[in-house]
Amino acid sequence: MAIKHDYYQILGVSRDASDEEIKKAFRKLAFECHPDRNREPGAEARFKEVNEAYQVLSDRNKRSMYDRFGRVDGDGGFTDFGFGGLGDIFESFFNGFATSFGGTQRRVPQKGDSLQTHLTLSFQDAVFGCSREVEIQRIEYCSSCHGTGSEPGTSPETCSDCRGMGQLRRVQQSIFGRYATNVPCDRCQGSGTIISSPCSQCRGRGRVKVKRKMKVDVPAGVDNGQRLCLHGEGSAGLFGGPAGDLYVAFSVQPHRFFQREGSDVLYDLPINFAQAALGDEVGVPSLDGKLKLKIPAGTRSGETFRFKGKGIPRIDGRGKGDLLVKVDITTPQRLDKNQRRLFEELSRVLPRSEPPR
Ligand SMILES: [Zn+2]
Ligand SMILES: [Zn+2]
């Protein structure tokens, strides 16, 4: 399946191109299709594409992320590779414009529609990554006629009105003199071909709506609101255009006692007065098993202890976040006789805070 956003292909470099090669390729292409210099239709879209490719491939982190996942974006503080859905809207608008511009109708390849589906993940699945299945509905080329629209064994005929050009030349008289314009051929609607025996499967459309089950490899570390892009898994394109993309948006369910802040995991640890005053060694839960925490004597409520690298894998592949354990000193709600006696004893010897004079 064709991939529209193959940034390497756009810049015409190999997947192991050096930074220098990428820069060189970008400069050359940007010069060629800069809208100020190049007035051909499509140059602007091409310039935008080249720019987008360079933004990603010239940045080491974005490039490695792109190599691994294609495109991952969202509001989770991770990379958003510039032109997202809006870009696609702009592109189709621009394509539509180019198609009808100057009164000519051409069979401009058009990218297929991009689709979005949704996956709800448990906290654990989001943290460690998982493999899931989604069911989508997309438009594919008809398998019976391979997208031609003609019943198998037959083929579309060349339109006799326009001789396959899809357009007719019309000479008109105006006050400025005679001028010629191209108008789309009515008979073949600009396609240049006539389907005399339409395919029975797709009724001559060449494309059909199908339901597909797809396996999605969810990378470790995804967060609420982030999307994964599966290149070329959207609907089929038109006139040989590339297929659209499939976006999988995630929502992540909360954990029973962990909270998440980006790639850090937060945990509130309840301890009592004595542990805080005297210090203690306690077990704390982490994503990969129990850890030991040494609470120093004189620990205050709210103090936070950090376990480096015990958090969630960063989606860009740069290691893991941390586990932050926040100490919460709990006040006993009910005291038995013995405890009461000890607290009363403590109360006699501990200094009282005096109001400032
Ligand atoms: Zn068909
Ligand atoms: Zn025609």
Side-chain angles (χ1 to χ4, degrees):
M1 206 166 278
I3 295 174
K4 156 133 210 307
H5 284 283
D6 188 329
Y7 293 141
Y8 292 99
Q9 220 174 322
I10 290 169
L11 291 185
V13 295
S14 65
R15 295 193 86 80
D16 52 8
S18 69
D19 291 352
E20 199 49 46
E21 285 169 315
I22 287 169
K23 193 188 264 178
K24 232 168 125 183
F26 167 69
R27 284 216 187 114
K28 185 170 159 275
L29 288 169
F31 184 81
E32 278 170 16
C33 54
H34 193 284
D36 286 351
R37 199 169 290 112
N38 191 336
R39 299 274 178 202
E40 278 171 43
E44 184 172 345
R46 174 107 179 97
F47 180 71
K48 202 158 68 75
E49 211 173 53
V50 165
N51 224 339
E52 183 182 339
Y54 181 67
Q55 292 306 323
V56 173
L57 296 188
S58 62
D59 180 307
R60 185 162 300 173
N61 290 325
K62 289 183 186 172
R63 184 177 171 182
S64 87
M65 203 158 132
Y66 173 74
D67 286 343
R68 295 171 53 212
F69 308 126
R71 199 202 283 220
V72 176
D73 57 14
D75 57 5
F78 294 106
T79 322
D80 186 332
F81 292 138
F83 313 92
L86 252 187
D88 294 336
I89 292 165
F90 178 77
E91 260 158 43
S92 26
F93 175 78
F94 192 78
N95 276 345
F97 182 71
T99 328
S100 55
F101 188 70
T104 57
Q105 189 90 32
R106 280 175 293 126
R107 300 179 50 159
V108 179
Q110 272 174 43
K111 186 180 176 178
D113 285 338
S114 286
L115 311 171
Q116 175 156 306
T117 184
H118 191 265
L119 262 183
T120 301
L121 304 173
S122 70
F123 189 90
Q124 300 283 329
D125 280 351
V127 165
F128 294 110
C130 59
S131 184
R132 295 283 288 271
E133 202 172 64
V134 292
E135 196 181 68
I136 56 158
Q137 210 176 40
R138 68 180 178 193
I139 290 165
E140 294 184 358
Y141 286 121
C142 170
S143 57
S144 178
C145 64
H146 302 287
T148 63
S150 283
E151 187 68 10
T154 71
S155 50
E157 288 163 22
T158 305
C159 172
S160 54
D161 281 19
C162 61
R163 272 171 272 135
M165 300 300 285
Q167 44 185 266
L168 299 167
R169 202 167 166 76
R170 197 151 288 167
V171 178
Q172 281 172 301
Q173 191 74 42
S174 82
I175 51 167
F176 302 112
R178 276 156 65 91
Y179 68 98
T181 49
N182 291 329
V183 294
C185 171
D186 278 344
R187 183 152 181 252
C188 63
Q189 271 141 24
S191 70
T193 52
I194 301 281
I195 294 169
S196 42
S197 37
C199 165
S200 55
Q201 291 297 305
C202 61
R203 279 178 285 162
R205 292 196 184 99
R207 308 196 311 161
V208 283
K209 205 173 223 183
V210 285
K211 269 189 182 163
R212 283 260 177 249
K213 278 194 172 136
M214 315 244 325
K215 201 180 131 220
V216 178
D217 285 317
V218 179
V222 295
D223 205 351
N224 252 328
Q226 287 183 328
R227 297 195 305 173
L228 182 69
C229 175
L230 304 177
H231 296 295
E233 296 292 357
S235 281
L238 269 174
F239 309 127
D245 301 323
L246 171 65
Y247 289 90
V248 185
F250 301 111
S251 48
V252 182
Q253 290 170 327
H255 192 271
R256 210 152 44 87
F257 46 77
F258 287 133
Q259 277 171 58
R260 178 171 179 172
E261 218 173 80
S263 55
D264 290 339
V265 174
L266 316 182
Y267 174 68
D268 280 336
L269 173 72
I271 60 170
N272 64 39
F273 286 132
Q275 288 174 299
L278 305 172
D280 198 1
E281 195 174 278
V282 297
V284 288
S286 83
L287 292 173
D288 30 34
K290 224 173 197 180
L291 296 171
K292 266 192 183 144
L293 172 65
K294 244 188 144 109
I295 299 168
T299 292
R300 293 159 194 251
S301 199
E303 243 174 85
T304 300
F305 300 90
R306 183 180 289 265
F307 290 90
K308 276 233 163 283
K310 292 289 178 191
I312 297 167
R314 294 198 179 91
I315 198 109
D316 60 4
R318 284 182 301 164
K320 287 177 171 187
D322 303 334
L323 169 66
L324 300 171
V325 178
K326 194 169 119 194
V327 160
D328 176 26
I329 299 178
T330 51
T331 308
Q333 300 295 302
R334 205 170 278 170
L335 298 172
D336 64 24
K337 231 170 149 188
N338 197 31
Q339 287 167 338
R340 172 165 284 278
R341 189 179 53 77
L342 289 166
F343 267 110
E344 281 166 356
E345 208 167 301
L346 261 180
S347 153
R348 276 194 293 278
V349 294
L350 284 178
R352 275 165 200 282
S353 56
E354 297 285 339
R357 264 173 245 173

